[in-house]
Amino acid sequence: MNLDFTYFENGIGRISGQLPGMPQDRVVLNRLFFYVFKELDDVYNQHLLEFGLNSSTFLALAMILSSEDNRLNPSHLSDALIASRTNVTRLADDLVGSGWVSRKPCTQDRRRVELSLTPSGRKLILVVLPVIWQRIEQQWIDFSPAEIAEFDRLLRKMLEGLRRFRVAS
Amino acid sequence: MNLDFTYFENGIGRISGQLPGMPQDRVVLNRLFFYVFKELDDVYNQHLLEFGLNSSTFLALAMILSSEDNRLNPSHLSDALIASRTNVTRLADDLVGSGWVSRKPCTQDRRRVELSLTPSGRKLILVVLPVIWQRIEQQWIDFSPAEIAEFDRLLRKMLEGLRRFRVAS
DNA sequence: TAAGAATAGTTACATTTGAAACCATTTCTG
DNA sequence: CAGAAATGGTTTCAAATGTAACTATTCTTA
């Protein structure tokens, strides 16, 4: 797949020449976002493949590791991953099937389930995390701390703008 | 689906307290990106629904409109949309089925196909574009021109960092 | 405290998308 | 110029993910 942004930019430029009223810089910005996201997702899935993981399974393991007492409900995982509960059920099936996670009923609330890392799952994520962190540092190596802080600020501001902008449901 | 970023941030904070060496600000930045993207995609799909469109069909119509002579090959569309040729075939099927696009064989190169807007497709996209532009302006209303320019610069810089970082294929 | 509402997880079904294989055509190259 | 390689489009198959319906349990409230 070709990830050349110029196809889009040229098109947008031609429309802007024909029709008045396009907020061109912001249209480009929204679209640029798709390109960067696509690349980000692809690149990390590539890097995780060598460990038998993808961004969902990796993040799930990391979130269970980060939980108190090594226990996490599927619903919380669903929130942390921005994934449907359906998908988290399936994800848990996979992780249990791979022997990285155990699934036990919760005694306090019998509707719930508790996901925990098995020793093998814990070992895996503790190997993978430092490798991924190193690569994240590589990825951002040309950014100054000030640029990183500003990027963070702009992203959160964009998120707020989008939420205000949601269609009422 | 809950789009609360704090689930992730809390988890990442706990891991950082346990394991040394996490570039926390950049880890958060990468993840924040997923959240913003998800929201962006959702919101615009919501807004396009009232016209019977989604972000793919909308962008396809816009790209054909922007093409020279109102003609565009599926392959070019695939590049502009960052979508597989498989998917563009299907997209074209839909658009032709809805009566918005016509599909004709190309006389110069008989491997190719030419997608053009029908009068009805042209009418639709000319109605939708100004509406969407207005909403994009709303979405970005709190951003100064300097912030927009800086955001653009940072996104392109991030894209470059990611491309250098790709696994050799 | 009993009935209704809400929550947790799963299942069945549908949607979206891409990879790989395939055919037709065009371009490259020895 | 003939065979090999590349390109354009489609089809087949598979992977990923979501919605809605469903069961079991817990919470709310009249």
Side-chain angles (χ1 to χ4, degrees), chain A residues 8-25 27-28, chain B residues 62 65-66 129 133:
Chain A
F8 178 77
E9 277 191 300
N10 293 342
I12 229 54
R14 277 193 297 273
I15 291 188
S16 191
Q18 292 166 28
L19 299 176
M22 182 200 292
Q24 190 167 350
D25 51 359
V27 169
V28 167
Chain B
L65 176 72
S66 83
L129 276 176
W133 290 344

Side-chain angles (χ1 to χ4, degrees), chain A residues 3 14 66 147 153 163, chain B residues 3 14 66 147 153 163:
Chain A
L3 266 174
R14 277 193 297 273
S66 83
E147 282 177 318
R153 187 184 73 82
R163 283 179 181 165
Chain B
L3 266 174
R14 278 194 297 273
S66 83
E147 282 178 319
R153 187 184 73 81
R163 283 179 182 167

Side-chain angles (χ1 to χ4, degrees), chain B residues 17-68:
Chain B
Q18 291 166 29
L19 299 176
M22 182 201 293
Q24 190 168 350
D25 51 0
R26 281 143 289 172
V27 170
V28 167
L29 215 47
N30 274 356
R31 191 64 193 159
L32 191 49
F33 220 85
F34 279 70
Y35 281 69
V36 179
F37 171 78
K38 193 97 179 166
E39 190 75 21
L40 181 65
D41 196 38
D42 279 3
V43 164
Y44 279 97
N45 274 316
Q46 266 187 14
H47 281 278
L48 287 166
L49 196 59
E50 68 183 273
F51 301 104
L53 295 171
N54 59 39
S55 39
S56 297
T57 47
F58 166 69
L59 207 53
L61 294 180
M63 291 308 296
I64 302 175
L65 176 72
S66 83
S67 64
E68 333 248 1

Side-chain angles (χ1 to χ4, degrees), chain A residues 22-160:
Chain A
M22 182 200 292
Q24 190 167 350
D25 51 359
R26 281 143 290 172
V27 169
V28 167
L29 215 47
N30 273 358
R31 189 64 192 159
L32 192 50
F33 224 85
F34 279 68
Y35 281 69
V36 178
F37 171 78
K38 192 95 178 169
E39 190 76 20
L40 182 66
D41 195 38
D42 279 4
V43 163
Y44 279 96
N45 274 315
Q46 266 187 14
H47 281 277
L48 288 166
L49 196 58
E50 68 183 275
F51 301 104
L53 296 171
N54 59 39
S55 39
S56 297
T57 47
F58 166 70
L59 206 54
L61 294 180
M63 291 308 296
I64 301 175
L65 177 71
S66 83
S67 64
E68 332 248 2
D69 283 332
N70 183 30
R71 287 184 295 170
L72 198 60
N73 303 121
S75 284
H76 285 122
L77 201 48
S78 158
D79 290 331
L81 302 188
I82 345 176
S84 65
R85 282 180 307 162
T86 304
N87 204 30
V88 170
T89 295
R90 241 172 332 231
L91 194 57
D93 288 344
D94 290 352
L95 293 172
V96 171
S98 301
W100 294 323
V101 165
S102 72
R103 184 198 250 138
K104 290 174 202 141
C106 173
T107 46
Q108 287 90 341
D109 183 341
R110 282 154 55 223
R111 289 171 303 184
R112 289 174 191 268
V113 156
E114 275 170 359
L115 304 174
S116 304
L117 293 180
T118 61
S120 129
R122 185 177 171 81
K123 194 172 157 192
L124 174 65
I125 191 64
L126 288 178
V127 166
V128 176
L129 276 176
V131 175
I132 294 298
W133 290 345
Q134 212 169 6
R135 295 189 185 167
I136 291 177
E137 284 191 349
Q138 283 297 312
Q139 179 209 330
W140 290 99
I141 202 163
D142 290 334
F143 285 71
S144 70
E147 282 177 318
I148 288 168
E150 179 65 2
F151 212 160
D152 185 281
R153 187 184 73 82
L154 291 170
L155 283 170
R156 288 175 201 267
K157 188 167 177 175
M158 182 173 171
L159 197 55
E160 277 199 23

Side-chain angles (χ1 to χ4, degrees), chain B residues 37 44 88 105 127 134-135:
Chain B
F37 171 78
Y44 279 97
V88 170
V127 166
Q134 211 170 6
R135 295 187 185 169

Side-chain angles (χ1 to χ4, degrees), chain A residues 25-26 153-154 157, chain B residues 140-150:
Chain A
D25 51 359
R26 281 143 290 172
R153 187 184 73 82
L154 291 170
K157 188 167 177 175
Chain B
W140 290 100
I141 202 162
D142 290 334
F143 284 72
S144 70
E147 282 178 319
I148 287 168
E150 179 65 1

